[in-house]
Amino acid sequence: MKPFLKEIVCREAFAEAVGTFILVFAGTGAVMVNSVSGGAVSHIGISFVFGSVVAAMIYCLGHISGAHFNPAVTLAFWTSGFFPGYRVIPYILAQSIGAITASALLLISLGRVANLGATIPLNNNWLQSFVLEIILTFILMIVIFGSGLDRRAHVGFAGLAIGLTVGLEAAFMGPITGASMNPARSLGPALVGGIWQYHWLYWIAPIIGAQLAVIVYWYLSNGFRDIK
């Protein structure tokens, strides 16, 4: 890889690390503060925080890195042909490091409360959460394609549409699955807190859901030709 390309990739990957750090610090931090404060934030408040921080990071860093902040999204962009393969691993590593750093700082700041915001299936029903995480990520990725990549979409509303989607999905499915839709978001609390129960599903299900969205939007956009 040429030196100038390395510099660009490093800068973009760093933006992904920063964005994912802020996402996990604010989102899982809200879960932890809600526990510490006796429910002052509330479930709807937590959902609002997740949606708001995603929207904010898209508007803040989207013009630098594309604002993936999610390995499932990065892989979906790659398989759909909108993202070069040589950037996939740096992005996923950066996203993971950002999430892990956020969880480590939350542990230091707030202590070991609320499982550090880890995502765990309700009543250990992993199959239920597996199916729901596929569907939730499918919906999220469809919104990303439709609002963020399709040239026919209204300009400037992608961050709002994607943030609202994350917030509403967290609101209505968060109590069941944790509404992760993001392997990096789940990795941070799992690694730092040593909470690995059913962690595999929070990688596999979001990736499957995002890939299903690739197939569906490929059809809806005439093989992606209408997007470009």
Side-chain angles (χ1 to χ4, degrees):
M1 188 184 298
K2 295 181 179 180
F4 76 93
L5 283 178
K6 287 184 179 179
E7 182 180 351
I8 292 172
V9 172
C10 286
R11 187 184 304 117
E12 292 176 348
F14 183 68
E16 284 292 303
V18 171
T20 311
F21 167 84
I22 295 173
L23 187 163
V24 174
F25 188 82
T28 61
V31 176
M32 296 171 70
V33 169
N34 188 58
S35 176
V36 170
S37 63
V41 181
S42 79
H43 170 63
I44 295 301
I46 293 169
S47 303
F48 175 79
V49 170
F50 269 111
S52 297
V53 72
V54 167
M57 289 303 99
I58 290 172
Y59 289 122
C60 176
L61 298 172
H63 55 285
I64 298 175
S65 69
H68 298 190
F69 314 135
N70 184 335
V73 172
T74 296
L75 290 171
F77 282 158
W78 170 55
T79 57
S80 59
F82 292 97
F83 192 70
Y86 67 86
R87 297 188 184 187
V88 170
I89 292 178
Y91 264 48
I92 293 177
L93 286 175
Q95 293 155 1
S96 299
I97 291 170
I100 293 166
T101 303
S103 291
L105 289 176
L106 285 169
L107 175 62
I108 293 170
S109 302
L110 299 175
R112 191 175 294 273
V113 297
N115 289 324
L116 302 184
T119 47
I120 303 173
L122 180 66
N123 299 324
N124 294 317
N125 190 340
W126 67 266
L127 181 58
Q128 179 186 59
S129 289
F130 185 79
V131 172
L132 292 174
E133 283 289 327
I134 289 175
I135 297 170
L136 293 175
T137 313
F138 168 80
I139 295 170
L140 174 61
M141 197 68 217
I142 285 288
V143 173
I144 292 171
F145 276 132
S147 65
L149 284 183
D150 199 317
R151 61 179 175 80
R152 299 166 295 180
H154 295 290
V155 178
F157 287 95
L160 181 61
I162 296 166
L164 285 172
T165 301
V166 170
L168 75 88
E169 292 191 312
F172 78 83
M173 281 300 177
I176 306 297
T177 74
S180 173
M181 304 166 279
N182 184 339
R185 175 261 180 269
S186 291
L187 176 63
L191 181 64
V192 174
I195 305 165
W196 295 106
Q197 297 96 311
Y198 306 109
H199 179 68
W200 59 269
L201 81 82
Y202 293 101
W203 281 84
I204 297 176
I207 290 173
I208 291 174
Q211 294 303 316
L212 289 174
V214 171
I215 296 170
V216 170
Y217 214 85
W218 178 89
Y219 174 74
L220 293 175
S221 62
N222 190 26
F224 292 126
R225 286 188 288 273
D226 292 342
I227 286 182
K228 300 176 182 178

